[in-house]
Amino acid sequence: MKKLLTGNEAIARGFYEAGGHVAAAYPGTPSTEILENMEQYKEDIYCEWSPNEKVAMEVAIGASMAGARSLAAMKHVGLNVAADPIMTYAYLGVNGGFVFISADDPGMHSSQNEQDNRYFAKFGKMAMVEPTDSQESKDYIKEALRVSEEYDVPVLFRVTTRVCHSKTLVELGERTEVAKKPYVKNVGKFLAAPAHAKVLHVTLEERLARLEEYSNNSPLNTVEMNDKKIGIITSGISYQYAKEVFGNTASYLKIGFTNPLPFKMIEAFAKEVETLYVIEELEPYMEEQIKARGIKCIGKELIPNVGELNPDIIAKALLGREIRTIEGLDNLHDSIIKRPPTLCAGCPHRGLFYSLSKIKNVMVTGDIGCYTLGFTQPLNSMDTCVCMGGSISTGHGAAKAFKQAGEDKKVVSVIGDSTFFHTGMNSLVDVVYNKGNTVTVILDNRITGMTGHQENPGTGYTLMGDKTIAINIPNLVKALGVEDIQIVNPLNLKETDAALKKALEFDGPSVVITRWPCVLKKFSQEDKSEFGCELKKYKVNEDKCKSCKLCLKSGCPALSFDKYAKIDPDMCVGCSVCAQICPFEAIERVGE
Ligand code: SF4
Ligand code: SF4
């Protein structure tokens, strides 16, 4: 049976059909749906949201060591977090087949950078596989697991946003049960003491040589010979773009197994064609290696290494002409009103950021999540954002520097609940241990908001839908050594103002926890009993409105101004923040 699947759905299906046993991930665009779809196979596959990518990688590594076919999934920046265990696991090799997904985000649709993670495979001396569509995403997972077991190697399965989120037809198959391999204690293989690792490094180099032989004969690397004037070496989504531009007027070497590269194939292909192009997104990963072998080719001289490619960019760069595959896009660009991203109407973070915006002489260090939008106008309440979990430690460093220079400036670090569990906890330990004097605000909206409402250790539910212990953030913070802890309702501005004031006056590490569910969340039974959440809508009483525009400083997208302030009744969820801001009581509850 054929089905239209996204690349992410196909990866989950491929792992299921390949007899996969254990899968773990931390959500992150564009990889999130891999584990969301894995959940439908929970009868056969144990799957979990781990608190961060390093933990997910380690869970999958442990399962592989125990003999299970295992998978870890993450977005590209998540692999930075997980780099530590995987670099060593490449030395150790596997027991059960082991695949880890890096979903890269060229164009930074939802990321803080657009790093090209293919270099991780070369750097870490691991095998790498790159599918070009959903069918290959499913099929290549099976081959990747087979290669992992045959060559005793972890496999980096690299996809990009367009492969993850595009839908193509996929032929579904049945699950093949693969028995878990027996676990046999073997410290020489699985215990990375220096004496063992020195031996394992030699084995690793031998393994790479064998893998290059496999690469030259791999069914994942294919040649399509057409006109020989132009030859194209490509991989991943770039293959689809190249085919769209050149069709059958060029020959192709499509590389699906991209580390080690199939140099015998590449040399033979290069000899056959007159002009050789290497078409790849982001970095010249293949091109550099091909040129280093003395093979003449054209790549990044003409094709940009910034942002996503598309057929138009390739046609313009290599043929010097427009092909207009995205017809009418320019017209759309002109007619669509630009809408900068903003916190949702009724977002519980708005109250906190509004309160923060009124405080002078503070630096606010931010983190990764939808609340990063606290930096936007008119809230303008965030100064920095570096990486997941980094807000508390960058804030600590800044506060130490201010103190050392004798500057009277305090630091507030803001971090979401899931991000706090991810890597924020470690940083708070550092603040306590090193006698920091910052305010940490944990924005607990009872869910992992930005990636689309995945459960996390604080929500009380697992990925597989089981009820579990909800980690109590105030107790955890207390256990980490923080003495000054306040819990506030961020929709109550007076309460939030007072908590921030008290925390800023406290001498030592202080934590404010803002607790209110994400406005888009489907409430659990626990949410309903804790928050009630019967919010009523608000409207502006024009007789009382003095047109001072102060309410617009909330940044709520439901508010607009035309002579008087206005509230869009379809967008307003009745959080009451604007009503609290209005000094003239011109914003009133509807229905009372
Ligand atoms: S803050 Fe009140 S008075 Fe001022 S514009 Fe808004 S609704 Fe009108
Ligand atoms: S009450 Fe005001 S701030 Fe809250 S959602 Fe409605 S318009 Fe926006």
Side-chain angles (χ1 to χ4, degrees), residues 540 545-551 561 565 582-584 586-587:
V540 176
C545 178
K546 307 277 185 233
S547 304
C548 68
K549 296 188 183 174
L550 274 177
C551 54
F561 189 85
C582 176
F584 304 104
I587 301 181

Side-chain angles (χ1 to χ4, degrees), residues 259-275:
N259 194 56
L261 286 171
F263 285 110
K264 277 189 198 153
M265 281 184 98
I266 289 170
E267 278 160 12
F269 183 74
K271 277 189 192 137
E272 288 278 317
V273 297
E274 277 177 38
T275 305

Side-chain angles (χ1 to χ4, degrees), residues 345-346 350 538 554 556 558-559 567 571-579 587:
R350 177 166 283 106
Y538 280 74
S554 69
C556 177
L559 278 156
I567 291 176
M571 289 178 83
C572 176
V573 296
C575 74
S576 86
V577 164
C578 61
I587 301 181

Side-chain angles (χ1 to χ4, degrees), residues 40 112 136 141 151 155 198 223 269 317 334 427 548 559-560:
Q40 66 188 291
Q112 62 269 42
E136 288 183 1
I141 281 283
Y151 291 86
V155 180
K198 281 175 193 166
V223 173
F269 183 74
D334 293 341
S427 305
C548 68
L559 278 156
S560 59

